[in-house]
Each structure stands twice: as C-alpha cells, then as structure tokens.
Amino acid sequence: MMKDVTLGQYFSGNSVLHRADPRAKLMFAFFYIIVLFFAKSAASFGFALLFTIMMIAISGVPFKSVIRAVKPLVFIILFTALLNIFWTKGEKVLFEWKFIHIYLEGVIFALFMAVRIVLLVVGMTIALTYTTTPIALTDGIEALLNPLKKIKVPVHDFAMMMTIAMRFIPTLIEETDKIMDAQKARGADFENGGLIKKAKSLIPILIPLFVSSFKRADDLAVAMECRSYRGGEGRTKLKQLRYGKCDIVLFILAVVFVAGILLCNYFLPYISI
Amino acid sequence: MAEPFIIAENLSFTYTDDDGDATEALKNVSFTVNAGEYVAVLGHNGSGKSTLAKLLNVILTPTGGSLTVGGHKIHADMTEDDVFAVRRDVGMVFQNPDNQLVATVVEEDVAFGPENLGIPRDEIRMRVDDALKTVGMYDHRLSQPHRLSGGQKQRVAIAGVIAMMPKCIVFDESTAMLDPRGRADVMANIRKLNDDFGITVLHITHYMDEAVMADRIIVVNDGEIYRDGTPKEVFKDVDGLRRVGLDVPQGRELLYELSLGGIKFNDNPIDIENCANLILEKYNAKKD
C-alpha cells in the first residue's frame, strides 16, 4: 500500500552512473545544467539531446520512467513555449493578426527552450535521483558543503535532519493510514464534499499526527543522546565516500559534453539563437 | 567477578510539574547490582521502574541520595564529558522500536553509536557485522528499518547498543510493544548477551514470564523496593505480590491455588516444567 512508496525514485542498478560517487554525480549534474545554457545552435541542441539519450542508455533506467519524470512539467514547458512564441520579436514574420505577431525567431527560441527544460529535468533525474539512493545523495551533499563548516554553517546538522526525515517518512505514512482508519471507524468522511469540506476533514488527521510526531521526536532525541550523539564533532563514518573509476568516466563524459556543445556552437552555427 | 556495577544509596527522585506539584517517583531506594548480573525490575505502571532506568543513563539525575554507575557518580552537575562517559558504559534499549532507529539502512543505524564515539572506520565495520550476527540480523543489514517486523527492529536496536560495547544494557520495557514471537526473540538475545558476553543486564518489565529468566528480581512498588531476591524467593509470596498489583507466573499460581485447596507442596518452583513434575508427583503419590 502507501507503505511501499519508494523514497525519491531510485532505480536499483549497477551501471557506471549508479556506482559513481554521489559527490561526482552532484558536480556532474551541476556542470551539465550550466553547459546546457551554453547551447546556441540547432546542432548543439541536437548534440545535447543525443548525449542525454546516451546517458539514459548507460543508466539502464527504462525510457518509460524517464518520460514519467517529464510529464508533470508538460504544463510549464507549454507555458514558457507559448510566452516565448508571442513575446519574442524578430525579423521574419510568420503570422500576423491584429496585435498578435509571431516571428520565426520566436518559434525557434520557444522550441529550444522547451528542449532545454526537458533535457535539464531528464539529466538531473538520470544523474541523480534515479541512480542515487537518498542517503548517498545526502552524504554527497554533506561532503560537498563541508567547507562551509568553516564559516559556521551547520552542514552536519542539516544532513542529519535530512536523514531522519527520510527515515520517518514511511513511518509517518503508516501512521497516517492508521489514524485515517481510526477516524473512519468513528464516522469521519474524507471522500465527499467540496474542497473546503475536504480540507476541513483533514484536521482530525493532522492533529493526532502532529501530537504523535512530537512524541516520536522526543523519544528519538533521548535515544540518540543515549547512543552518545553529540553533533558532528569527532564523529567518524561507516561509509567513506571514495572516488573511483566510475568517476573518471563521469569526468570524461562531462568533458565530451562541454566540448561537443562548444564545437557545435562554433562550427555548425546554423539556426542559432 | 562480584564487583558492584550499580550502587544506589537512599536514591530518591522527585518530579516537579509545571504547577509546582511534586511527585515522588523513587523514595530512598538502596540496592547494588554486580557486574555480570542479570536483574529484572518488576513493577506495575507508575511504580517508578522507568524512572530508575532513566537515572542510570543520566537522562534524569537524582534529587536525593547517591547513585554510582560503573564507577561514575551520577549527580546534577556532571560535565557533558562525564555524562557521555556513563552512556558509553550503559546502553539502553527503549520500548518503541520505531522511535529509536535513526538511519534509513539497518547497518548504518547499527553504526550510529560507534560513529558517535569516533571509532575508526575499519573497526566500526567489524563491530557492526559482529553485532548484527549476534542478534541474527546480518542478512537484513541492507534492509530499510520500516520493512522489518517489530521484533526485528528491536533486534536492530539491540545490535546498535552492542556495537558500542557497553558494560551494561538497560532494557526499558523493550518487549512491551512486540508480538509473542518478537518477544521470545528479544528475550533469547538478552539472555545470550548476559551468558556469552558477560554484559550486566537490567531488564525493566511487567511480564512475569520474562522476569523469571533473570538471576534476580527487584520488585518496585510506589517508588520503594518491595522485594529483592531470586525469582524463586520473590514469587514465593503470591499474596504480597498481588497486593502490589503484580501477578505470578502461571505455574506458580496453579501450585498456589492448589495449596489453598489443601494440597501442600514442599517446593515452590516457578518454571512450567518443574511445576508440572511436582503436580504429577503428587498425583501419582495419591493414586498409589
């Protein structure tokens, strides 16, 4: 049931992308996004598209799931595309009616923008959420932000909070199920009525959930203290992040990507923005 | 061997609520627990047994008398380092298995304690594997805690404490939320820790059949020690225990009821097998 909801959308696998160090993947994803914004010509967008498809193939994540990740964004993509079509001014008019002018440049720009957003999302999910467990991701973020500790940013505490939040999501979902059943047994109705009535019917679920969460938080804090938790200072880790061969592959991929985009921009500048 | 690990002298603890009303949870309690002993603490709800557990781990500090745990004197003005020194020696397993697991993967959770102690990674790995093997959860080391049963979660919690290598483990009603199978599992593990590793065990419970497994039982009632002795001695006084809201193990109860009916036994065993043998003996004697 609801209990089986997986955290994030991790697909287990053993590809290069799965085995790479989360820090390397985070940096790679960041780099990938920046480079995507360098793309200017049709050729470079084509190259980015091919590159991203190749990444999906490497990761072994089914294409269907990748499409599922993009689906919720269809509205945003259409919206930005429409805005770009109507608002971009250019030289070559394609269509004119009263105050509406659509230029060829606008259409091209809208198309490029749409491709860019799709690639952005797909790249992020492939490099990160689909191939990295939430815990590895947290570890990676903590390790990368580590230098910020010098200026007193509580990096470790945030990472610990993230871990605990992830640990308790399934527990709280289970608890919500239980409370809903208990309230249903008392005659609560969650299905009927308008939006306001439905929202109101959530109150008898949320209040007990909050109360029990505070109780849990209290228990957990005591349990953590009993296990000698005293913040990040002097702590060691069972799992040490280590760069390996897979990270070299990621590095090469990143170089190929940026080189490809820049070369396409320079040597194949047809239909560029 | 018989070195005292916990020494309580006239130990008191008083809760003060927001209105300033004071409740005495423990009143002038004195007892000693030796290193390597397995002691059950029995008492009905509100008898003060959980307060006792919290004092041993410096979650609370005594309001009167003195308490020494593993050579550390426990009082209100301990430094943080002293407090953690005690917690290093005394591990604790709580009642709700869900509320004491921290990490999203079993082995990472077991590693949590040793990580906090700043132990080198290779040794953590060894300790985690050993602890998980001890409680029989090694095959589940990569599982997510929420996919385990209550008993399994509690075993992971025990592994988390073992991995810190404490001298003493306090079980604060750790079986109360488990099904019978989970309880049996956890009890077997507690026994093993005491037998094989010589860990001092303080098991706080209100199940009689669990208390029977201990070497010694301390019965707490209204903040005072009501009885202190071997299970056999403690369960001899059926009337007295009932007066303080406690039961006795079933076999013992049957013998007691029979003796009220006029059948006298010359022994008062507490485990089912011995009780059955005794009744059988009496029955055969009567038949002849």
Side-chain angles (χ1 to χ4, degrees):
Chain A
M1 267 193 20
M2 270 172 98
K3 202 178 161 185
D4 296 323
V5 174
T6 45
L7 293 177
Q9 289 146 319
Y10 179 68
F11 272 90
S12 54
N14 199 27
S15 71
V16 173
L17 281 170
H18 283 86
R19 277 175 292 156
D21 187 287
R23 288 171 297 177
K25 281 195 272 189
L26 278 162
M27 287 189 283
F28 177 80
F30 191 64
F31 186 73
Y32 172 88
I33 292 169
I34 293 174
V35 172
L36 258 188
F37 280 89
F38 289 167
K40 281 204 163 53
S41 70
S44 48
F45 274 102
F47 175 75
L49 192 68
L50 274 178
F51 182 84
T52 310
I53 291 173
M54 184 193 73
M55 265 174 40
I56 300 174
I58 291 175
S59 74
V61 173
F63 269 88
K64 249 196 230 156
S65 321
V66 178
I67 289 164
R68 212 170 343 132
V70 181
K71 251 187 197 163
L73 294 163
V74 166
F75 178 75
I76 296 175
I77 293 167
L78 282 179
F79 186 72
T80 42
L82 282 177
L83 275 186
N84 281 320
I85 287 177
F86 290 118
W87 261 264
T88 312
K89 297 239 177 312
E91 283 153 11
K92 202 166 174 218
V93 179
L94 281 182
F95 176 84
E96 225 168 350
W97 180 73
K98 288 185 183 173
F99 56 90
I100 298 173
H101 310 272
I102 293 175
Y103 301 94
L104 178 66
E105 287 83 355
V107 174
I108 291 169
F109 192 71
L111 197 71
F112 282 177
M113 211 55 192
V115 171
R116 188 176 277 160
I117 296 175
V118 170
L119 291 184
L120 218 97
V121 174
V122 172
M124 288 281 281
T125 45
I126 285 298
L128 295 174
T129 47
Y130 276 177
T131 54
T132 322
T133 57
I135 196 152
L137 208 53
T138 319
D139 282 350
I141 294 171
E142 187 187 355
L144 281 182
L145 295 183
N146 228 356
L148 290 181
K149 275 182 187 163
K150 289 216 175 74
I151 53 164
K152 303 253 161 137
V153 178
V155 176
H156 166 78
D157 306 76
F158 281 126
M160 186 47 92
M161 275 158 60
M162 283 282 288
T163 312
I164 291 172
M166 285 186 302
R167 153 77 186 84
F168 277 91
I169 287 169
T171 311
L172 291 183
I173 289 176
E174 212 176 308
E175 180 132 25
T176 312
D177 274 351
K178 252 189 230 164
I179 294 171
M180 272 175 92
D181 286 347
Q183 302 291 27
K184 271 185 204 156
R186 292 183 174 88
D189 176 12
F190 300 118
E191 270 95 40
N192 298 316
L195 193 66
I196 294 177
K197 194 169 174 253
K198 266 190 182 162
K200 267 189 177 166
S201 70
L202 284 180
I203 294 173
I205 298 174
L206 289 179
I207 291 177
L209 194 62
F210 265 94
V211 172
S212 82
S213 301
F214 281 119
K215 171 99 182 62
R216 275 182 202 286
D218 199 37
D219 280 0
L220 186 71
V222 171
M224 282 171 73
E225 283 213 319
C226 282
R227 290 167 76 182
S228 294
Y229 181 68
R230 47 202 303 194
E233 211 119 315
R235 229 170 159 261
T236 46
K237 292 213 122 197
L238 170 66
K239 291 225 174 93
Q240 193 80 3
L241 296 175
R242 216 176 271 143
Y243 291 113
K245 277 183 204 145
C246 297
D247 304 302
I248 298 172
V249 175
L250 267 191
F251 180 74
I252 295 169
L253 278 177
V255 172
V256 168
F257 187 54
V258 68
I261 296 277
L262 292 180
L263 289 176
C264 286
N265 275 347
Y266 190 76
F267 290 107
L268 303 162
Y270 316 109
I271 329 178
S272 57
I273 48 173
Chain B
M1 184 63 196
E3 203 178 298
F5 187 78
I6 302 168
I7 307 166
E9 272 163 14
N10 301 320
L11 179 65
S12 309
F13 184 80
T14 310
Y15 282 103
T16 315
D17 64 17
D18 296 340
D19 305 330
D21 295 334
T23 322
E24 265 193 300
L26 284 177
K27 305 170 200 164
N28 293 323
V29 173
S30 299
F31 65 92
T32 311
V33 174
N34 287 332
E37 240 186 323
Y38 179 174
V39 179
V41 179
L42 264 182
H44 60 79
N45 289 335
S47 59
K49 59 186 197 300
S50 275
T51 307
L52 184 62
K54 285 180 183 143
L55 286 169
L56 294 175
N57 215 324
V58 215
I59 299 166
L60 301 173
T61 48
T63 52
S66 81
L67 176 66
T68 310
V69 177
H72 308 279
K73 201 162 160 41
I74 290 174
H75 54 85
D77 322 303
M78 293 169 82
T79 63
E80 206 188 290
D81 287 334
D82 287 343
V83 170
F84 282 97
V86 175
R87 290 187 181 151
R88 213 180 162 134
D89 281 352
V90 184
M92 194 137 170
V93 181
F94 296 88
Q95 183 176 36
N96 190 332
D98 268 323
N99 296 359
Q100 50 187 324
L101 301 182
V102 185
T104 45
V105 182
V106 165
E107 64 171 13
E108 302 240 358
D109 189 83
V110 176
F112 181 73
E115 284 178 345
N116 290 335
L117 297 178
I119 287 160
R121 193 171 353 115
D122 297 339
E123 200 189 331
I124 296 184
R125 181 79 258 170
M126 246 164 54
R127 284 190 183 196
V128 167
D129 290 348
D130 287 350
L132 281 171
K133 279 175 193 156
T134 306
V135 299
M137 288 296 289
Y138 187 70
D139 294 338
H140 293 275
R141 66 188 179 283
L142 295 177
S143 305
Q144 297 178 347
H146 70 96
R147 301 214 183 264
L148 305 176
S149 73
Q152 288 175 323
K153 280 184 216 168
Q154 207 62 307
R155 272 149 69 190
V156 172
I158 293 174
V161 173
I162 301 173
M164 293 176 73
M165 299 192 165
K167 294 181 187 131
C168 170
I169 303 180
V170 179
F171 293 88
D172 188 3
E173 304 211 36
S174 310
T175 53
M177 291 179 76
L178 305 181
D179 55 26
R181 213 180 129 192
R183 271 176 58 198
D185 257 5
V186 169
M187 286 311 294
N189 275 302
I190 297 178
R191 190 71 257 186
K192 190 167 159 192
L193 290 181
N194 183 250
D195 287 344
D196 300 353
F197 299 89
I199 294 174
T200 313
V201 171
L202 213 72
H203 183 200
I204 290 160
T205 179
H206 54 250
Y207 289 111
M208 303 307 133
D209 43 342
E210 287 177 6
V212 166
M213 291 172 71
D215 302 330
R216 181 178 148 204
I217 299 178
I218 296 176
V219 182
V220 186
N221 184 48
D222 286 339
E224 286 165 341
I225 289 186
Y226 180 74
R227 286 278 184 284
D228 185 349
T230 64
K232 221 167 148 177
E233 284 163 19
V234 167
F235 287 124
K236 200 169 175 178
D237 178 19
V238 179
D239 280 332
L241 284 176
R242 282 185 177 168
R243 245 192 325 269
V244 298
L246 291 175
D247 264 326
V248 293
Q250 283 180 341
R252 176 74 194 104
E253 189 172 6
L254 181 58
L255 292 187
Y256 175 75
E257 295 295 338
L258 285 171
S259 72
L260 285 186
I263 304 166
K264 296 284 175 240
F265 297 98
N266 44 15
D267 194 12
N268 57 321
I270 42 176
D271 61 308
I272 290 172
E273 205 181 326
N274 282 327
C275 288
N277 287 339
L278 208 61
I279 294 172
L280 197 66
E281 216 173 83
K282 220 34 174 199
Y283 178 75
N284 287 337
K286 210 153 194 177
K287 221 166 47 178
D288 299 336

